[in-house]
Amino acid sequence: MAVAARVSSPKKLALLVGCNYFTNDHRYLPELSGCINDVRDMAETLVSRFGFDRRDITVLTDEAGSHPMPTGANIKRALTDMIKKAKSGDVLVFHFSGHGTRLDNATRDEAIIPCDSNCITDVDFRQIVDLLPSGTTLTIISDSCHSGGLINHEKEQIGPSTVKRSIDAKDLKSKPRFIPHESLLQHLSGLSGIESQQIGDHLAHLFGEDASDKFLNKAYHPKKPIADNGILLSGCQADQFSEDLSPEGEKPCGAFTNSFQKVLAQHPGTISYKELVTKVRQLLRSEGFDQNPCLYCSDSNAVSPFLSQKRAGTKDVDIEATVGTAEKGVNLTTGVAGMDVKGNAV
């Protein structure tokens, strides 16, 4: 008697967040133009190039009528919900397009700024990555200022460059996706009504338990040693700005996301994380931008195919195993045309 079992293909899940800050106080949080376009373009790329199902892609934007809005709490909740669905071997993506900042404290921590200004810090991303099931990767793509190092203690593969170039994009209208510390402090002070020169005090007062653990005096200790499968592709170095573009006659976009899309279009085959970031860096430099994308991840992930893309001519399939009592014992069928379980051509 034979018993058949099926092993499902790895899932591909994504959370894409775009904040143009339409409804914020623009004295402190300047409105951006290209962030929502960035996540829409990313959604199309994930579906058409990498085989994601649209039903497995969650998009949060702050355009009128959107629900739920991309607040700090909603973004973190969506990330943890996505990780709860994941199993070993799954591919997860988080793309953020919007303002970033570098918190003015002794350790100069990086953060992204959701639509409600409830900053998500590098410590938060470290905690999120540590929730990943073993064998599951989370690729974080952040088109925001000061995004280098956004996963706390992640290994730098491609980082700060000694090459200095000035911006010379004369035909492009651009502005940095950056909020100075003083502007963010004034903005939060007006919202909280308390007197403090510490951004964390205002965030803790405004958002309570939904604020970053960095500001709640919580010690974080991983429950168990786990393999680190967080991968960060940042739009710039920790001390740089990412540009928001409004090209004449073209739709607004982020310089990093736009270059990222161009490189993928130019290289339809398999491309590693390291190759991808290197080529995006080169393209941005050739176009006159003074921002250097970075890559933070393990050595093995740096050279692995971006989003686990398969070589041309292969695809993800279910694996069927049939266990029987025949003399030959176990018979496995991979479901991959032209290959047996041992990898031999048939």
Side-chain angles (χ1 to χ4, degrees):
M1 180 176 178
V3 178
R6 297 192 67 83
V7 180
S8 298
S9 299
K11 292 195 294 289
K12 299 178 179 181
L13 308 173
L15 171 63
L16 313 180
V17 178
C19 296
N20 279 351
Y21 309 93
F22 295 123
T23 61
N24 294 87
D25 187 337
H26 295 149
R27 293 175 300 170
Y28 306 118
L29 286 175
E31 184 176 325
L32 298 175
S33 301
C35 302
I36 294 174
N37 289 335
D38 284 348
V39 298
R40 287 172 176 163
D41 290 344
M42 181 61 69
E44 292 304 315
T45 297
L46 292 179
V47 171
S48 62
R49 172 74 178 264
F50 297 100
F52 281 64
D53 190 316
R54 290 188 190 277
R55 294 170 296 183
D56 293 326
I57 299 175
T58 299
V59 177
L60 301 181
T61 71
D62 62 349
E63 60 188 332
S66 292
H67 182 78
M69 295 289 279
T71 64
N74 285 339
I75 293 171
K76 287 189 286 187
R77 186 176 300 113
L79 277 167
T80 54
D81 286 347
M82 180 169 67
I83 289 173
K84 287 177 181 177
K85 297 177 184 176
K87 296 180 180 178
S88 181
D90 290 349
V91 178
L92 311 184
V93 177
F94 171 61
H95 180 214
F96 176 79
S97 186
H99 279 308
T101 192
R102 206 174 190 189
L103 303 174
D104 190 22
N105 54 30
T107 52
R108 306 289 290 177
D109 304 302
E110 297 77 32
I112 62 172
I113 305 180
C115 69
D116 64 344
S117 303
N118 185 9
C119 295
I120 303 177
T121 71
D122 55 347
V123 166
D124 296 313
F125 284 112
R126 174 78 269 161
Q127 293 174 331
I128 288 165
V129 166
D130 286 349
L131 294 175
L132 288 169
S134 179
T136 299
T137 58
L138 171 61
T139 298
I140 297 175
I141 305 167
S142 189
D143 195 342
S144 57
C145 292
H146 301 303
S147 46
L150 199 54
I151 303 176
N152 200 30
H153 301 309
E154 194 62 69
K155 183 175 182 179
E156 178 186 294
Q157 298 289 340
I158 300 176
S161 171
T162 57
V163 177
K164 300 294 182 182
R165 295 178 62 90
S166 60
I167 296 175
D168 186 25
K170 296 179 180 178
D171 297 328
L172 299 175
K173 296 179 180 179
S174 68
K175 59 183 174 184
R177 295 179 169 183
F178 165 65
I179 303 300
H181 171 266
E182 190 59 35
S183 294
L184 183 59
L185 181 61
Q186 291 181 30
H187 174 60
L188 293 172
S189 297
L191 294 175
S192 70
I194 65 174
E195 293 186 8
S196 175
Q197 294 301 305
Q198 301 299 318
I199 284 177
D201 292 343
H202 297 284
L203 292 171
H205 180 82
L206 286 165
F207 301 106
E209 290 298 311
D210 285 332
S212 172
D213 282 358
K214 181 186 288 290
F215 311 126
L216 299 177
N217 298 317
K218 290 183 178 181
Y220 175 66
H221 303 287
K223 294 181 180 179
K224 59 181 180 179
I226 55 177
D228 185 357
N229 281 315
I231 305 170
L232 170 65
L233 287 74
S234 65
C236 62
Q237 296 169 185
D239 61 349
Q240 291 182 325
F241 303 151
S242 290
E243 296 293 324
D244 190 62
L245 305 182
S246 297
E248 192 70 32
E250 299 179 32
K251 68 180 181 181
C253 61
F256 171 59
T257 299
N258 185 49
S259 295
F260 176 90
Q261 299 283 357
K262 287 179 180 178
V263 169
L264 287 177
Q266 293 164 1
H267 298 82
T270 301
I271 186 169
S272 73
Y273 282 89
K274 204 164 189 176
E275 290 169 333
L276 177 58
V277 173
T278 298
K279 291 181 184 300
V280 174
R281 265 195 168 210
Q282 292 169 345
L283 180 57
L284 282 166
R285 288 177 183 175
S286 71
E287 293 179 344
F289 290 100
D290 192 19
Q291 65 182 87
N292 294 310
C294 302
L295 174 65
Y296 296 81
C297 63
S298 67
D299 293 341
S300 59
N301 281 330
V303 296
S304 65
F306 178 65
L307 299 187
S308 301
Q309 184 181 17
K310 307 297 182 183
R311 291 185 175 85
T314 66
K315 61 181 180 179
D316 292 329
V317 293
D318 286 347
I319 299 175
E320 182 182 89
T322 303
V323 182
T325 57
E327 184 179 348
K328 292 184 178 180
V330 179
N331 176 30
L332 298 178
T333 303
T334 67
V336 180
M339 185 176 294
D340 66 15
V341 70
K342 296 181 180 179
N344 302 314
V346 296

